[in-house]
Every structure is written in C-alpha cells, then in structure tokens.
Amino acid sequence: MWGHSFYESASRLLRQHPSLSKLLVVVTVSGGGLATFHETTPVHTVYADSVQEDQIAKKKKVVVLGTGWAGVSFLKNLKSSNYDVEVVSPKNYFLFTPLLPSVTCGTVEARSIVEPIRCITKKKGLEVQFREAACHKIDPQTKKVYCRSTQDTNLGGKHGEFSVDYDYLIIAMGAQSNTFNTPGVEQYAHFLKGIEDAMKIRQSVINCFERASLPCVSEEERKKILHFVCVGGGPAGVEFAAELHDFVKEDLAKLYPSVIDCVQITVIEASDHILNMFDKRITAFAEQKFSRDGIDVKTGSMVVKVTDKELSTKERETGKVSHLPYGMVLWATGIGPRPEVIDFMKQIGQSNRRALATDEWLRVEGCDGVYALGDCATINQRRVMEDIVEIFRTADTDKSGTLNLEEFQEIMDDLVERYPQLELHLKSKQMRNIDELLEKSWQNPTAEVDIETFKSALSQADSQMKNLPATAQVAAQQGAYLANCFNRMEECEKYPEGPLRFRGVGRHCFQPFRYKHFGMFAPLGGEQTAAHLPGDWVSIGHSTQWLWYSVYASKLVSWRTRVLVVSDWGRRFVFGRDSSRL
C-alpha cells in the first residue's frame, strides 16, 4: 500500500510540474548504481510516431499468390525493403518438382525435396507474412484477394475466410492437370503435380504388387493388375516410366520373383513421337531404349475413356478403338488453368484464352498493378506489323516519308530489344543484323526506303513468335526478373532503361523479360539421361546422368535439401529403393 501511494503521489506531482520530468535520478538500492531517465517531450513523441506512420504508409502492399517456382523465385530475389509482402498459398512449402518422378518409386524421399516457405523468407531478412490459405476470388476493381483457409476446422465461426488488400498482385498459382474432359480420368487416374500425388502413386505401385502376389489371383488377372499405363509422352510421363522400370528390375524383381514376368509398362502418346519438344536425336534414342527395355510405346493414340478396369484408346489415323486393362494409370498429358484463374480471366475479358495473357513485362493485360508468371500465364508478345507504322514514323526523324540508313540504325537496337522475334528471324535467315534485310535497298548508303519496302522487309518476322514452355526454368527466370524490377522500381521510374515507346513518348521503365534457355534433361532409366543443351548440343548416356545429378543438386533450394537428396541417392546405390507401403 505504501509503495502504491508513493508512486501515485509522485505521478501526480510530475503531472502538475512537467519540468521535473525532464531529469529524474533514482538511486537503486539493490545494485547501488544510478539510473537516469529522460522523458522525451510529447511534441517529439508525436513527431516520431508520425514519421514512422509515414514510412509505413509509403510501403506498397505486395501480395504473392502461390509458392511454386515463380513465387519462390520472386521471394528469394526480392531485396528491397520498400514493400509490405504477404504470401498466400494452400501449401506452406516449396516443392522441387523435377524430382517428383523419383519420389513415386522411392529413389528420393518426399521430405527431401520440400522446403518450408517460412524458412525461405526468414533467410531473406525481410518481413514477409505467410498465410496458408487458398485464393478463391480476385477482385481487380477493389484490389482485394479473397481467401479461405485450407484447414477443415471451423475457425471462429467464419470458416477461415478473409480478404487481403494489395497495391501489387503477383499471380503465381501454377496450373492443374488437363484432362481434356475425358470421361473417368478424374475418378480413376493418378496425376503427378504435387507431393501428395507422388506418395499416392508410390502406394498404388506397391498395392498392385501385393495384390498380384495373392494365391487366389489368376494369371490373367495378375497381368491386368501389373499393367502400368502412362498417358502422355512428355518429360514427366517418360521419366516416370523410366523410374518405374528401374524400380521393377532393380528392386521389386528380387522381392516379387513369382510375378515379375507379368509386369508391363505402356506409354500412350497422341502425337507421332514421345519427347517431341526435344531434339529428334533424343526422341529416337528414347524410343529405341524403351523398346529394348520392354516398355511399350503407343504413339498416335488418344485416350477417349477411362473406367475402373480399362481405358479406351483411339488411333488418330484409322479411328480404331482399343481397350486396355490396367492396374494403375498415370495421366500426364498437359496442364490447364485453375478454376479461380478462369474466373479472373472472365472478369477481365480473357475468357477465350488458355492462360492469363501478359505483356513482355509480365503485367496482366487490362489490370493495373497485377502481374502473372509461371504456368498460369503466357506472354502475349507484341507483333511487329501491329506497330510498323509507328515504328516507321519514330525512325523518320526528318519527316521526309522515307528512311535512310542512318535513321534506321538509330532505332535498330530498340527494335530488336522490343521485338525478340526479329532476332529469331535473323537467325533463321542466317543474317547478322537487320541491315541485311534491307541490303538491296541500301546498297547505296545515300538511298532511302519508303514504308512499303520497310513493311516488306519485316513482314515475315512475326512468323517466328513462339510461346514459352510451361517449365520450372521459365517460371524461375520470370520470378527473378520481376523481383529485380521491384528492387529497382523507383530508380527506373526516374531513369527509364527500356526500349523506345513506339506508340508513346519516351522509354519503357524496364527491359522486357527475355527467357534464356539453359537446356533440358530427360532421364531415361538405367543410369542414362539425354540432355538438349544450348548451342544445339545433344548429350546422351551415363556421363549425362552424372551431369543431371550435379545440376539438380545445385538447383535445390537449400543446403538441407541438397544433403537429403544426395544422401537418398547414396542410400539407393547401397541399399536399393524402399518398397514399404507407407
């Protein structure tokens, strides 16, 4: 009571005489020392708070949807502290998807290829908020994102629903498997998009072998149970078939010797060849190797129906329908947009597209402050012929109605930078620069070219336009590019460094996104891998497998995952793959 009354009296005295609060010296009995307290004046306190509030207000809110390759690459490369970043994703981890086929057969464990998002953001030293929730609606008018928790429990009676405001929205939600509305696929086929999918496939493979080993199963039924079908001859499907073949021959053959002769692996591809995005030499080698390994490759066939016991295929040329009984089927035919992305596309008038259309700076067309990257988006490259009149007018500095060589050379670099198809067109024509396109007109340096000649010279350039592949390599480069733009946004807004605005004034703030291809790998089993590297260099064999090991180990997101994956590879060499049904 005495202590309480003392402090109450002292507090009243200080309020009545504010000057006494400027310096207060108290002798502390316990330590025998002196402690000095200086009270800052209320004016200074208010000023400090207002400055802090202004600093917070200056920070733009950046919301990132998705924690895949694109989203995580953006977070890892973002260095500026000028943004308040919030990440929303139903998965609280990053998944190294190139090794998913290895998880299906126990070559690599599931936890070895995932890294918690909070660990990734913590290492950056930036304040990043993470919300484990699924975005179900984007409202570009109010700049809000509506989310719902992935937890099954009722959270505060609101079912975990909340909204997030944004100044900049980065849509990196990826895509889902495309079933092409084939009946029965959703019910009976396996997909390979997430870690849960890989674990289910691993269990299904072991289940098939255990069921086939029962004494009550007939020989015909056993062959059906051990028939593994992969629909799709792309990298994912081919790699899974190769992994499964190695798993069967190297490990399961020792554990299930009585049924191993009944195993059959089939790859079904609608086009004429598997791995048709690779060099023809790789495609031919893969088909020959699969033939030697006993993997049946059916090209030119489309799956038209899937039931619980068989799938129906239709030959593209003859129209003949066949029925294949199976024990397990993997669907790896391609990707399509997610429902929430489809809804957003309808809102902004892009309902007729297969993915969100962006410009060369990854900005969603028709939306302010919204970016899209990765598998959910595609770059709508500007055509040269759409801007040919403006290009000519910009280059014609003397307004003569014709271009001379000097005028053209002044915009040539900006032209190639703004329209990358021009560079591809030059390569296809085996030309060094655009000058050679107009060489006949400019044999005489003093000659001038009119707009019709200019159009004729550039008319074929747009035929070289190609969409970027939906790969992890593209998504990662887009994330790093966009993070660099955000890091330097204030600087580049003051001092633009992009190409000329042919339909406007000045320059674009940033250089447009340019994809650099560093090569593709296709593991084919038996410790052999095919690689299509830059410069049209093709490498196939055991040495390429070790290159694959080293590249993938270096690309893993953390040292923890590198150690785990390398140790999994070492364990497999020594002890083989684990066949437990877990």
Side-chain angles (χ1 to χ4, degrees):
M1 292 295 294
W2 178 87
H4 176 74
S5 61
F6 170 78
Y7 286 115
E8 185 177 357
S9 301
S11 178
R12 189 185 312 112
L13 181 64
L14 291 174
R15 285 197 301 270
Q16 295 174 355
H17 304 280
S19 60
L20 295 177
S21 65
K22 293 183 178 179
L23 184 62
L24 176 63
V25 179
V26 178
V27 180
T28 58
V29 177
S30 60
L34 294 177
T36 304
F37 301 90
H38 181 271
E39 182 178 330
T40 306
T41 61
V43 176
H44 291 168
T45 302
V46 173
Y47 176 74
D49 291 342
S50 64
V51 171
Q52 186 176 8
E53 290 177 359
D54 289 343
Q55 290 176 348
I56 295 174
K58 288 180 181 178
K59 284 191 175 184
K60 296 289 187 179
K61 181 69 171 291
V62 178
V63 176
V64 181
L65 300 180
T67 52
W69 281 93
V72 168
S73 178
F74 174 83
L75 294 174
K76 289 183 65 178
N77 289 278
L78 185 65
K79 300 176 182 178
S80 176
S81 59
N82 296 330
Y83 306 101
D84 181 14
V85 183
E86 188 163 340
V87 183
V88 179
S89 174
K91 307 295 183 184
N92 71 341
Y93 57 81
F94 166 72
L95 171 64
F96 191 80
T97 52
L99 288 179
L100 266 181
S102 298
V103 176
T104 62
C105 299
T107 305
V108 173
E109 293 300 321
R111 288 192 177 273
S112 299
I113 63 171
V114 297
E115 182 76 6
I117 289 298
R118 298 181 191 274
C119 293
I120 296 174
T121 57
K122 184 179 179 181
K123 295 175 183 177
K124 289 295 298 177
L126 300 177
E127 293 186 4
V128 178
Q129 297 292 331
F130 174 76
R131 316 294 183 193
E132 188 181 55
C135 168
H136 62 86
K137 183 181 179 182
I138 300 171
D139 190 346
Q141 301 298 326
T142 60
K143 289 197 170 184
K144 285 182 179 289
V145 173
Y146 295 90
C147 309
R148 185 181 295 117
S149 172
T150 56
Q151 302 291 335
D152 296 330
T153 56
N154 191 344
L155 303 175
K158 298 180 180 179
H159 302 285
E161 294 190 1
F162 60 95
S163 63
V164 180
D165 297 319
Y166 68 83
D167 294 302
Y168 299 110
L169 177 63
I170 299 173
I171 304 175
M173 305 171 70
Q176 62 182 4
S177 298
N178 193 349
T179 65
F180 300 98
N181 296 320
T182 306
V185 174
E186 292 282 355
Q187 294 84 357
Y188 305 112
H190 287 275
F191 302 100
L192 191 54
K193 292 294 292 181
I195 200 70
E196 300 88 352
D197 299 330
M199 296 299 294
K200 289 179 182 178
I201 292 173
R202 181 173 176 176
Q203 291 179 0
S204 295
V205 171
I206 302 301
N207 286 345
C208 289
F209 275 87
E210 292 295 349
R211 278 190 294 146
S213 299
L214 296 175
C216 57
V217 177
S218 65
E219 188 73 12
E220 182 180 354
E221 184 69 14
R222 187 172 290 120
K223 290 182 179 180
K224 170 194 168 184
I225 294 173
L226 294 179
H227 185 198
F228 301 94
V229 180
C230 178
V231 183
V238 167
E239 186 171 350
F240 169 74
E243 282 278 358
L244 181 60
H245 174 266
D246 287 353
F247 187 29
V248 170
K249 295 300 180 183
E250 297 174 6
D251 301 282
L252 298 182
K254 304 173 185 177
L255 303 176
Y256 303 91
S258 60
V259 301
I260 203 66
D261 292 336
C262 298
V263 176
Q264 182 182 357
I265 302 173
T266 301
V267 177
I268 300 176
E269 170 57 37
S271 63
D272 295 331
H273 299 281
I274 60 174
L275 297 178
N276 51 24
M277 70 289 299
F278 283 78
D279 187 272
K280 293 181 180 179
R281 291 166 287 181
I282 293 177
T283 297
F285 179 84
E287 291 176 348
Q288 293 171 6
K289 185 179 186 305
F290 274 16
S291 178
R292 292 193 303 268
D293 292 341
I295 300 176
D296 187 17
V297 177
K298 295 182 179 297
T299 57
S301 297
M302 299 178 294
V303 176
V304 295
K305 185 179 180 181
V306 180
T307 66
D308 60 338
K309 296 181 179 179
E310 64 180 19
L311 54 84
S312 302
T313 63
K314 181 180 180 181
E315 293 184 9
R316 192 177 67 247
E317 294 183 356
T318 64
K320 180 181 178 182
V321 177
S322 303
H323 303 282
L324 293 176
Y326 69 88
M328 193 203 80
V329 57
L330 170 69
W331 191 269
T333 59
I335 58 175
R338 295 184 179 275
E340 52 273 16
V341 175
I342 295 176
D343 180 67
F344 178 61
M345 291 167 64
K346 291 179 180 179
Q347 293 184 58
I348 61 177
Q350 294 189 14
S351 56
N352 60 336
R353 294 184 175 273
R354 297 182 179 180
L356 275 169
T358 71
D359 61 14
E360 297 89 336
W361 293 269
L362 308 183
R363 300 172 299 195
V364 175
E365 295 180 350
C367 289
D368 181 37
V370 181
Y371 300 80
L373 50 161
D375 293 351
C376 68
T378 182
I379 296 177
N380 189 18
Q381 178 63 49
R382 189 86 180 169
R383 294 180 178 273
V384 177
M385 298 310 293
E386 291 181 53
D387 301 329
I388 193 68
V389 175
E390 285 74 16
I391 294 171
F392 189 88
R393 185 181 297 124
T394 302
D396 186 16
T397 55
D398 59 3
K399 307 304 178 184
S400 63
T402 57
L403 290 184
N404 57 43
L405 181 60
E406 183 178 352
E407 287 177 324
F408 180 72
Q409 287 176 338
E410 288 182 0
I411 69 160
M412 188 170 60
D413 292 338
D414 290 298
L415 200 60
V416 174
E417 187 179 338
R418 182 65 180 85
Y419 306 96
Q421 62 266 38
L422 280 175
E423 187 175 357
L424 296 176
H425 182 56
L426 293 175
K427 289 182 179 179
S428 67
K429 297 290 186 180
Q430 296 182 345
M431 297 180 180
R432 292 171 297 177
N433 51 52
I434 301 180
D435 290 354
E436 295 186 26
L437 284 174
L438 304 172
E439 186 177 14
K440 293 181 179 179
S441 301
W442 277 325
Q443 289 179 350
N444 180 5
T446 62
E448 297 194 352
V449 174
D450 60 14
I451 190 170
E452 295 302 325
T453 305
F454 192 65
K455 285 182 179 180
S456 177
L458 303 181
S459 60
Q460 300 300 318
D462 291 331
S463 63
Q464 297 296 322
M465 293 175 61
K466 297 179 180 178
N467 291 329
L468 295 178
T471 62
Q473 189 176 167
V474 172
Q477 290 187 30
Q478 288 179 338
Y481 163 82
L482 190 58
N484 183 54
C485 291
F486 273 71
N487 291 335
R488 304 171 59 245
M489 188 169 292
E490 291 185 3
E491 175 187 349
C492 290
E493 285 179 350
K494 295 179 182 178
Y495 308 103
E497 61 178 24
L500 284 171
R501 296 179 183 270
F502 292 111
R503 284 185 175 267
V505 180
R507 292 183 171 272
H508 292 277
C509 291
F510 305 101
Q511 304 282 354
F513 172 74
R514 291 291 178 265
Y515 168 63
K516 296 181 180 179
H517 183 64
F518 295 112
M520 296 185 295
F521 288 99
L524 302 175
E527 292 298 311
Q528 294 191 65
T529 293
H532 190 185
L533 303 175
D536 199 29
W537 180 35
V538 171
S539 177
I540 303 173
H542 296 283
S543 60
T544 311
Q545 177 73 20
W546 287 100
L547 177 63
W548 179 83
Y549 283 137
S550 60
V551 169
Y552 276 25
S554 66
K555 292 297 181 181
L556 286 162
V557 73
S558 68
W559 279 106
R560 183 190 71 86
T561 53
R562 291 188 188 103
V563 171
L564 290 175
V565 168
V566 172
S567 63
D568 287 344
W569 287 335
R571 170 189 52 78
R572 194 264 296 180
F573 276 117
V574 178
F575 302 106
R577 300 170 180 84
D578 180 28
S579 61
S580 302
R581 189 181 62 177
L582 295 175

